[in-house]
Amino acid sequence: MSCERYDWKAYAVGELAVNECREAEAHAASCDGCRGELARVRLTLETLSMLREEEVPRRIAFVSDKVFEPRWWETFLRPSFAAACVIAAAIIMHGYMTRPPAVDSAAIQAQINQAVTRAVADVQQRNADLETQLTTLYVKSTGIKYQ
Amino acid sequence: MIFREVEDRDLIAKARKGEVEAYNLLVSRWEKRVFNYLLRLVSNREDALDVSQEVFLKAYQSLPKLDDAGRFGAWLFRIAHNEAFSMLRRRKPEGEMPFETGTPVRGSELLPIELSLAVERALSRLSEEQREAVLLKVYQGFKFEEMAEILSCPVSTVKSRLYTALDLLKMTLAPAILRGES
């Protein structure tokens, strides 16, 4: 049975201050119980030290390796990507807001037809007027009534 | 040790400035310790390797948040602890780690490889918290205060876990002659 005052586990794992170590050692020299307890703790630690340290089976990836590259969603968080998105959105919005009104092809066709009809009527009217003038001139100059 | 600490500090400063090779060197230096710690904690080589990879990735991403480069080791192991326990939580339901008292080992009769396996077995019988306290103190050599930082708990809790674990291991591992058996 060891004395409660001395913390032999803390001693064995190197957690006591230098002066505490000296005091504990001086005590152990004259106390069988504490010597026995210290021996058991040390033996346990020695046995634990027999555990083999394992080699890393394959190397941990380096920063330059692919595993350190950002995940796909992290790409969206990059400032350059975010800036590109904002610019692209601005271009699309601008294009949407300033585009010409929708084209109604039927209305245009109707307008064209109307204009053509008007033009044909004008030409026919002009031809009729010209023919009347020519007839008048002919009658005046020849005295013969044009039939 | 002090020289090594200064070197780590220097590497961390370089890594923070974007020098990839400096961080790669840090990985090379710490990977074996981190891997062995995780291996004993999660008891599976592939899991330990996967978690090690995550630890170094997280550490790299969090490097700007490291306040004191001189405490890189404790900081790195804190990440390792968090990663290991979140993996363990995912892997099995809470409180599923019964403590078993195994057959005592007759150390004087065992070969080193057998002794190593016996230690491994004895460690696996501890609770996760007790085992981790042993790993951090006995195998990684952290001070109680650093362990408290890694585990986010008071020093008194760290000591209590370690001392209970050592008592249990003493029962399991101590050669029969020291326990008064013939």
Side-chain angles (χ1 to χ4, degrees):
Chain A
M1 189 77 181
S2 62
C3 306
E4 280 189 15
R5 191 182 152 195
Y6 296 97
D7 184 350
W8 294 111
K9 292 189 185 80
Y11 175 88
V13 296
E15 286 282 352
L16 290 190
V18 179
N19 59 327
E20 289 174 317
C21 282
R22 281 201 201 112
E23 193 190 326
E25 284 159 6
H27 171 77
S30 60
C31 178
D32 287 345
C34 284
R35 259 204 318 278
E37 172 63 10
L38 178 59
R40 282 188 286 274
V41 174
R42 277 183 166 157
L43 189 65
T44 306
L45 292 172
E46 269 174 39
T47 311
L48 285 174
S49 72
M50 297 301 288
L51 183 69
R52 281 185 314 164
E53 201 178 30
E54 301 272 338
E55 289 299 324
V56 185
R58 57 175 188 271
R59 78 173 177 82
I60 303 294
F62 284 165
V63 184
S64 44
D65 291 354
K66 211 168 175 55
V67 70
F68 276 90
E69 285 180 6
R71 295 181 176 94
W72 67 268
W73 53 268
E74 288 173 330
T75 310
F76 295 98
L77 301 178
R78 282 181 176 176
S80 56
F81 186 87
C85 285
V86 169
I87 291 167
I91 291 169
I92 291 166
M93 284 294 288
H94 180 263
Y96 181 79
M97 293 175 81
T98 59
R99 69 181 180 173
V103 176
D104 186 349
S105 54
I108 290 172
Q109 190 58 52
Q111 284 176 348
I112 293 168
N113 291 345
Q114 209 174 2
V116 169
T117 308
R118 243 191 340 261
V120 169
D122 283 351
V123 169
Q124 284 174 340
Q125 185 59 48
R126 272 203 299 276
N127 286 343
D129 292 348
L130 193 61
E131 196 175 331
T132 307
Q133 285 172 9
L134 286 172
T135 306
T136 308
L137 280 172
Y138 179 79
V139 170
K140 273 183 183 173
S141 59
T142 61
I144 302 168
K145 196 175 177 182
Y146 179 74
Q147 296 267 321
Chain B
M1 186 69 184
I2 292 169
F3 180 63
R4 164 66 181 265
E5 217 169 82
V6 171
E7 283 187 335
D8 275 357
R9 204 186 280 268
D10 187 39
L11 290 174
I12 291 159
K14 286 180 177 173
R16 277 173 161 167
K17 286 177 193 162
E19 283 188 37
V20 168
E21 281 311 311
Y23 191 73
N24 288 345
L25 194 51
L26 273 174
V27 173
S28 305
R29 279 184 177 183
W30 286 88
E31 64 179 356
K32 194 170 177 181
R33 285 182 67 180
V34 169
F35 172 73
N36 273 273
Y37 163 71
L38 290 168
L39 178 63
R40 305 304 171 198
L41 212 52
V42 303
S43 311
N44 177 294
R45 290 171 73 85
E46 276 306 308
D47 285 346
L49 196 60
D50 288 348
V51 179
S52 299
Q53 183 66 72
E54 270 304 305
V55 168
F56 284 105
L57 178 59
K58 285 237 161 96
Y60 181 66
Q61 290 166 338
S62 308
L63 213 50
K65 294 183 202 159
L66 172 63
D67 295 327
D68 181 2
R71 300 182 73 80
F72 178 72
W75 179 80
L76 185 66
F77 272 77
R78 175 157 177 65
I79 296 174
H81 161 83
N82 290 340
E83 288 298 310
F85 274 79
S86 60
M87 199 218 74
L88 288 171
R89 271 194 295 273
R90 283 197 303 272
R91 204 167 65 177
K92 66 185 169 208
E94 195 108 355
E96 194 196 285
M97 201 66 190
F99 174 75
E100 302 165 34
T101 30
T103 317
V105 176
R106 298 181 68 90
S108 54
E109 296 171 7
L110 297 176
L111 297 168
I113 181 69
E114 290 173 316
L115 203 50
S116 178
L117 289 171
V119 170
E120 207 169 298
R121 225 171 20 244
L123 284 172
S124 72
R125 287 176 182 143
L126 297 176
S127 74
E128 282 164 1
E129 289 175 339
Q130 290 162 351
R131 185 161 66 248
E132 189 173 31
V134 174
L135 295 174
L136 291 171
K137 170 49 91 181
V138 179
Y139 297 105
Q140 302 299 334
F142 284 111
K143 305 298 279 182
F144 282 153
E145 281 188 9
E146 290 173 313
M147 290 168 67
E149 192 183 316
I150 293 167
L151 304 173
S152 296
C153 64
V155 168
S156 57
T157 307
V158 168
K159 282 171 86 168
S160 161
R161 287 178 189 172
L162 179 72
Y163 288 4
T164 309
L166 289 178
D167 283 337
L168 294 168
L169 289 167
K170 188 168 64 182
M171 292 297 293
T172 322
L173 294 172
I177 193 164
L178 278 179
R179 292 200 314 274
E181 295 174 12
S182 55

